[in-house]
Amino acid sequence: MYEIKSKFSDGCICSSCGLPCKAIGFLSSAKLHKSHTQHEAAEQEALFRWASYQYGIYPELRLMHHIPNGGSRNKQEAANLKKQGVKSGVPDICLPVPRGKYHGLYIEMKAGKNKATDNQSKWLEALNNQGYVAVVCVGCAQAVEVITKYLSGGK
């Protein structure tokens, strides 16, 4: 499995109330008065915003995409999506670009203290066994670190 030591998004102070909080994403400052927590959607938005600024350096990032398997849906919509091939646990982000012996990169995005579910962990393991790099990233900064290392030829 892929291991990253993250040194980002720690030690921020809310500019509104002065309490400790976590910064949302790689490009933003600490202004989280409402919740003081990271949210996966905001982290993912920050990641795709970062990627759009990196197209000149890594044109392959244009291929990176979100796999919209999560979210709340009514029973009918969920049943229809399941018939159409939606599968629980599939990672959030795919970068279908080979590097070295790897076929591509999958990222399950998490924020704060969220952990991968058992089903998500099974998908990550299966994808790793099929020759992909499939990892959990906590926050945008860690995902940026993983992506740049992967695209630069490292695992």
Side-chain angles (χ1 to χ4, degrees):
M1 194 64 122
Y2 207 70
E3 291 184 31
I4 287 289
K5 296 176 185 167
S6 182
K7 58 186 181 290
F8 302 98
S9 297
D10 294 328
C12 298
I13 303 297
C14 178
S15 60
S16 298
C17 68
L19 294 174
C21 60
K22 300 241 181 199
I24 293 178
F26 185 75
L27 302 173
S28 63
S29 62
K31 286 194 176 185
L32 293 177
H33 185 255
K34 289 184 180 178
S35 68
H36 298 291
T37 59
Q38 293 178 323
H39 298 284
E40 290 174 26
E43 292 293 325
Q44 194 163 304
E45 287 175 17
L47 177 64
F48 278 88
R49 193 168 50 249
W50 167 83
S52 71
Y53 295 129
Q54 302 302 311
Y55 292 163
I57 300 168
Y58 302 111
E60 307 94 318
L61 287 173
R62 293 179 191 276
L63 297 173
M64 187 170 76
H65 60 276
H66 168 61
I67 302 167
N69 275 355
S72 57
R73 299 178 171 99
N74 65 47
K75 288 183 181 183
Q76 181 65 41
E77 186 178 4
N80 286 338
L81 289 172
K82 188 171 182 179
K83 289 176 190 174
Q84 295 170 30
V86 169
K87 298 189 186 287
S88 174
V90 174
D92 296 314
I93 299 167
C94 177
L95 180 58
V97 175
R99 280 295 182 273
K101 66 179 184 173
Y102 301 104
H103 305 308
L105 173 65
Y106 282 89
I107 295 175
E108 176 59 38
M109 185 67 84
K110 295 296 176 188
K113 295 183 181 184
N114 291 345
K115 304 285 182 203
T117 66
D118 287 342
N119 211 16
Q120 290 168 337
S121 295
K122 288 176 185 174
W123 267 95
L124 294 171
E125 182 179 356
L127 288 164
N128 279 307
N129 289 338
Q130 291 299 317
Y132 293 89
V133 174
V135 298
V136 173
C137 290
V138 180
C140 175
Q142 191 174 51
V144 165
E145 199 171 333
V146 167
I147 291 166
T148 54
K149 185 175 179 183
Y150 178 80
L151 288 176
S152 298
K155 178 183 172 196

